[in-house]
Amino acid sequence: MSLERLQKVMARAGVGSRRCCEDLIQGGRVRVNGEIAELGIKVDPLKDKILVDGKGITLPRKHTYVLLYKPKGCVSTVKDPQGRPKVTDLVPLSGVRLFPVGRLDYQTSGLLLLTDDGELAYLLTHPKYGVWKTYLVLVRGKPSPAIIQKMREGLPLEDGRTAPAKVSFLGMQSQDKGLLEISLREGRKRQVRRMCEWVGHPVLDLERKSVAFLNIKGLLPGEYRFLTPKEVQRLKRIPKRKETIPRQRN
């Protein structure tokens, strides 16, 4: 077998996304044949002994892909020092080491993918691929057309200006609560909440309804389903084609 970059082999073994694996290597937590590994080295996954935190890794014969309707009140991590419920607790699969693809806030619900395929996680989360993620956002008040246009063009948040977004006003849910649909190709921490806060319409409720072509139709909060082989192959083709832009309402 030809040599591969260490972080790529670790990702294929389900250790985490490629970014996560790079952090582990840089943190000195990975050894190859007894030596502390350096970022960028290449390994033979069949011959070299790779340890992460003292435990060996194994390349799976087949990956697992789960689409979860994340409920509020659980964290999108595999470990939580505070002992809060985790998304992995909702998918109790024996012998499979799943991790979430990206994150949703503790009080945010909606579509979350879990897998042991670090390569696919990389494709779906790296900014250069710009995968669309769409949210339903209940906000305080009624955003004006001018505010919605500002959100579409980009806002100067503390960590830099946001990329152009798709923002549509869906109507008022009550006298002082408006509903927006927001589609982003970025994945900044708490981005939707921070954008709405910046324009003076704080988020009251937030749900992710879709990632690329996947959605949560047919599922209730806490329920999950496995992706079909066709869905997996379609996700893997994303870097090779331009993703469809979600429809934007005026």
Side-chain angles (χ1 to χ4, degrees):
M1 179 177 287
S2 60
L3 298 180
E4 300 180 65
R5 289 192 181 275
L6 175 59
Q7 61 265 35
K8 186 174 181 180
V9 173
M10 291 168 58
R12 286 203 291 122
V15 174
S17 67
R18 207 187 299 182
R19 280 183 173 181
C20 171
C21 294
E22 291 172 352
D23 290 340
L24 291 172
I25 296 169
Q26 291 177 317
R29 296 167 59 183
V30 183
R31 288 179 176 269
V32 177
N33 300 327
E35 301 292 331
I36 295 178
E38 295 183 359
L39 189 63
I41 68 167
K42 293 186 176 182
V43 298
D44 184 333
L46 295 183
K47 295 181 179 180
D48 292 320
K49 185 177 181 181
I50 303 169
L51 301 179
V52 179
D53 291 334
K55 297 181 180 180
I57 67 171
T58 303
L59 294 178
R61 294 182 179 179
K62 190 168 93 170
H63 288 298
T64 301
Y65 307 91
V66 172
L67 189 159
L68 170 70
Y69 189 157
K70 176 193 174 298
K72 297 179 184 178
C74 63
V75 293
S76 301
T77 58
V78 295
K79 295 181 180 179
D80 183 58
Q82 301 179 44
R84 293 171 295 180
K86 307 182 296 296
V87 291
T88 49
D89 298 333
L90 301 174
V91 189
L93 301 180
S94 178
V96 181
R97 185 180 180 181
L98 297 178
F99 57 86
V101 179
R103 294 187 179 184
L104 291 179
D105 295 340
Y106 185 70
Q107 288 299 334
T108 298
S109 61
L111 193 156
L112 183 68
L113 292 174
L114 295 96
T115 186
D116 55 359
D117 185 346
E119 283 298 289
L120 182 63
Y122 177 77
L123 296 179
L124 296 178
T125 56
H126 197 285
K128 71 179 179 181
Y129 297 121
V131 177
W132 286 104
K133 305 168 189 69
T134 301
Y135 302 81
L136 286 179
V137 192
L138 187 67
V139 299
R140 178 72 65 189
K142 180 181 180 181
S144 68
I147 285 177
I148 290 176
Q149 186 59 32
K150 284 184 179 180
M151 297 176 75
R152 289 172 176 171
E153 294 173 353
L155 300 173
L157 301 183
E158 63 274 13
D159 55 350
R161 191 172 190 86
T162 60
K166 305 297 176 181
V167 184
S168 301
F169 177 65
L170 302 183
M172 298 298 292
Q173 299 300 292
S174 65
Q175 188 173 359
D176 63 344
K177 298 177 183 178
L179 186 65
L180 298 175
E181 181 179 270
I182 299 178
S183 296
L184 306 175
R185 301 189 83 165
E186 295 182 292
R188 301 192 201 182
K189 186 176 181 180
R190 302 184 74 254
Q191 182 172 345
V192 173
R193 294 182 185 274
R194 291 191 291 136
M195 288 174 64
C196 293
E197 185 74 32
W198 195 92
V199 298
H201 294 278
V203 171
L204 302 175
D205 194 34
L206 180 60
E207 178 178 274
R208 184 156 70 188
K209 59 180 287 190
S210 66
V211 173
F213 59 88
L214 298 171
N215 59 62
I216 51 176
K217 291 179 181 178
L219 295 177
L220 296 174
E223 293 183 341
Y224 67 90
R225 69 172 179 84
F226 294 96
L227 296 188
T228 67
K230 287 185 177 180
E231 288 174 329
V232 174
Q233 290 305 312
R234 188 175 172 186
L235 287 175
K236 290 182 177 181
R237 289 197 300 268
I238 284 177
K240 300 177 182 179
R241 60 182 172 78
K242 188 175 181 180
E243 268 298 287
T244 302
I245 299 175
R247 181 181 300 175
Q248 180 163 276
R249 302 176 180 84
N250 294 324

